[in-house]
Amino acid sequence: MLYAISEIAREAGKIVRSAGDIAAKTHIKTSAADLVTEYDVAVEAFLKEKLLALVPDAVFFGEEEALQGDPSKGWVFIVDPIDGTTNFVRGFRQSSISIALARDGQVEYGVVYDPYREELFSAQREAGAFLNGQPIHVSDKPLGEGIFIMGTAIYKREYIDPSMSLTTQLLRRSCDFRRFGAAAQDLCYVACGRAELFFEYSLSPWDYAAGSLIVTEAGGVASTLQGTALPILQRSSVWVCNKTNQGLLAELEV
Ligand code: IPD
Ligand code: CA
Ligand code: CA
């Protein structure tokens, strides 16, 4: 199953990689900060067809289409066809395809594919996490010797101040931070030890479902900013880190 989902992600990646004239195919979704391109819609349609052929009785829960069916029971694909749409539109080549397959509200398989670097992160529950087939693990560095990644939750403007406050608190305790603009990959970068920690005040299920399994299977922890379990099927704050920094959340003003 993990291999089949990975192959579908790689195929979808070809659409992302070969996209041309993106500016002319970009439309405003809710605001100038929230864009959708015709490629987001095309990649989602491609993924829906291929993934439902793989698991015909699954519900498809994608970013670009209205949900049909109850995602909390049985199998559900949770899909972001292009995570990092603004990067995609602006030519940053920092975007990914994120696919989770959950059963009864628990993620069983996760795949995050960066079609530019051809990095495919994957995990199966209780079977470990991988980057292009090689096992990956979170780092063991304390934040004082490490870096963190943050997301600005920019679609929810009320989180700008709290996001900046938490960034300041963590920056004082760390070497530096990064803001890449593609949350699914951000989670995978913690999973493979490129960074020690990631947070964002508000993410959608398709942003974090696959990546959160990849982090936990890589030996990290994933929770809300309140320290509770991620709801997986709902918008939520997200905090992930290696085990060394597990206690840090309780020391911060969130
Ligand atoms: C967004 C990206 C971004 C994060 C936003 C997400 P999109 O997804 O992951 O890094 O800060 O919260 O919504 O809209 O590019 O698919
Ligand atoms: Ca996204
Ligand atoms: Ca998206």
Side-chain angles (χ1 to χ4, degrees):
M1 180 63 77
L2 193 60
Y3 178 77
I5 297 171
S6 301
E7 286 305 295
I8 292 169
R10 285 187 205 277
E11 279 298 306
K14 291 181 189 163
I15 308 175
V16 176
R17 222 168 24 227
S18 62
D21 203 7
I22 300 170
K25 294 178 177 158
T26 300
H27 310 283
I28 286 175
K29 215 193 231 180
T30 59
S31 73
D34 188 6
L35 305 172
V36 63
T37 73
E38 292 168 27
Y39 293 104
D40 296 71
V41 177
V43 172
E44 182 158 315
F46 173 87
L47 291 172
K48 185 175 182 182
E49 188 195 325
K50 299 289 177 187
L51 293 171
L52 291 183
L54 195 62
V55 188
D57 57 346
V59 168
F60 188 86
F61 188 16
E63 178 174 13
E64 309 302 342
E65 230 185 74
L67 172 67
Q68 286 171 356
D70 178 359
S72 65
K73 294 195 189 80
W75 291 103
V76 55
F77 284 107
I78 308 168
V79 171
D80 196 337
I82 301 181
D83 182 52
T85 292
T86 300
N87 284 345
F88 177 63
V89 171
R90 305 305 302 265
F92 278 105
R93 297 168 70 85
Q94 176 77 24
S95 308
S96 69
I97 290 151
S98 178
I99 303 168
L101 178 56
R103 181 161 50 179
D104 299 331
Q106 189 174 53
V107 183
E108 298 291 339
Y109 302 91
V111 168
V112 174
Y113 179 54
D114 171 351
Y116 302 109
R117 295 182 184 83
E118 298 191 49
E119 288 189 328
L120 190 133
F121 295 91
S122 64
Q124 180 179 347
R125 176 165 299 284
E126 287 169 16
F130 305 87
L131 166 53
N132 291 342
Q134 299 302 309
I136 53 173
H137 206 273
V138 292
S139 80
D140 56 7
K141 278 185 197 295
L143 189 62
E145 295 168 20
I147 59 173
F148 70 97
I149 305 172
M150 61 81 74
T152 52
I154 202 63
Y155 305 145
K156 302 272 171 194
R157 298 258 154 180
E158 64 273 27
Y159 292 124
I160 292 177
D161 288 346
S163 298
M164 291 302 114
S165 160
L166 190 50
T167 299
T168 304
Q169 294 174 63
L170 290 169
L171 189 53
R172 290 191 200 287
R173 296 165 182 254
S174 67
C175 295
D176 205 348
F177 82 99
R178 301 286 183 269
R179 159 55 169 162
F180 292 116
Q185 276 161 280
D186 294 344
L187 295 170
C188 295
Y189 291 171
V190 175
C192 70
R194 290 179 189 163
E196 282 52 58
L197 187 157
F198 163 83
F199 81 85
E200 185 153 356
Y201 267 83
S202 180
L203 285 175
S204 295
W206 44 81
D207 299 317
Y208 70 82
S212 62
L213 179 69
I214 293 168
V215 168
T216 53
E217 286 299 319
V221 291
S223 71
T224 68
L225 278 168
Q226 281 64 50
T228 55
L230 288 170
I232 295 302
L233 297 172
Q234 285 153 35
R235 187 166 264 285
S236 171
S237 61
V238 174
W239 164 274
V240 306
C241 63
N242 61 16
K243 289 247 164 72
T244 315
N245 294 298
Q246 201 169 3
L248 190 58
L249 185 55
E251 296 171 22
L252 300 164
E253 249 179 72
V254 173

